Amino acid sequence: MGPLDVVALQALSKQDSAYGAVGMLHAGPDLQAWWIWKDHEDVEPTVSVMDHDDLLFVIRGTLRLEFEAREPVDVRSGELFVISAGTPFRGYRWPRDGEPWLFLAVTRAGATFTRR
């Protein structure tokens, strides 16, 4: 397999929902990677909790991350942020009427997340 063009939203598989689109880039024995695209999406009503650290790299736009008991964090194009395992969070395009948003998420293979 050759390189995948993340900016062009190429992926091994894609899934669309009211909350955005997700493209699987890699699912190996040690590592998983996806791109996430949001444009006029709904904000997920629940928070997510990963069981392993989740590395996020924003390619386009601004990602707002909300956490329990702390101020939101805005992660802009070109910036990287790691969400520690066990941290409840919600992420969405910011500002809400702003440009589309694209980021890369990388975590350990087999990592799971729950919604609550």
Side-chain angles (χ1 to χ4, degrees):
M1 179 183 85
L4 293 170
D5 187 339
V6 174
V7 174
L9 304 181
Q10 290 182 341
L12 301 174
S13 63
K14 296 179 188 177
Q15 182 178 5
D16 293 309
S17 77
Y19 309 113
V22 177
M24 174 59 73
L25 296 169
H26 180 75
D30 300 316
L31 187 69
Q32 302 178 115
W34 310 263
W35 54 251
I36 294 88
W37 169 261
K38 297 194 180 228
D39 185 18
H40 298 96
E41 80 290 351
D42 294 337
V43 174
E44 179 72 43
T46 60
V47 295
S48 298
V49 180
M50 296 288 297
D51 66 348
H52 287 84
D53 289 354
D54 191 12
L55 182 145
L56 309 177
F57 178 75
V58 177
I59 298 165
R60 177 180 179 183
T62 300
L63 161 65
R64 172 156 282 186
L65 293 169
E66 291 182 353
F67 302 96
E68 295 177 347
R70 89 180 245 205
E71 292 296 313
V73 173
D74 293 340
V75 187
R76 293 170 178 79
S77 179
E79 295 181 336
L80 179 137
F81 189 86
V82 175
I83 300 173
S84 298
T87 303
F89 72 96
R90 173 185 3 257
Y92 50 87
R93 180 176 44 95
W94 189 256
R96 295 297 300 141
D97 61 352
E99 69 176 306
W101 166 76
L102 176 65
F103 76 97
L104 177 70
V106 180
T107 191
R108 178 180 170 182
T112 59
F113 73 95
T114 56
R115 296 203 188 277
R116 49 179 198 170

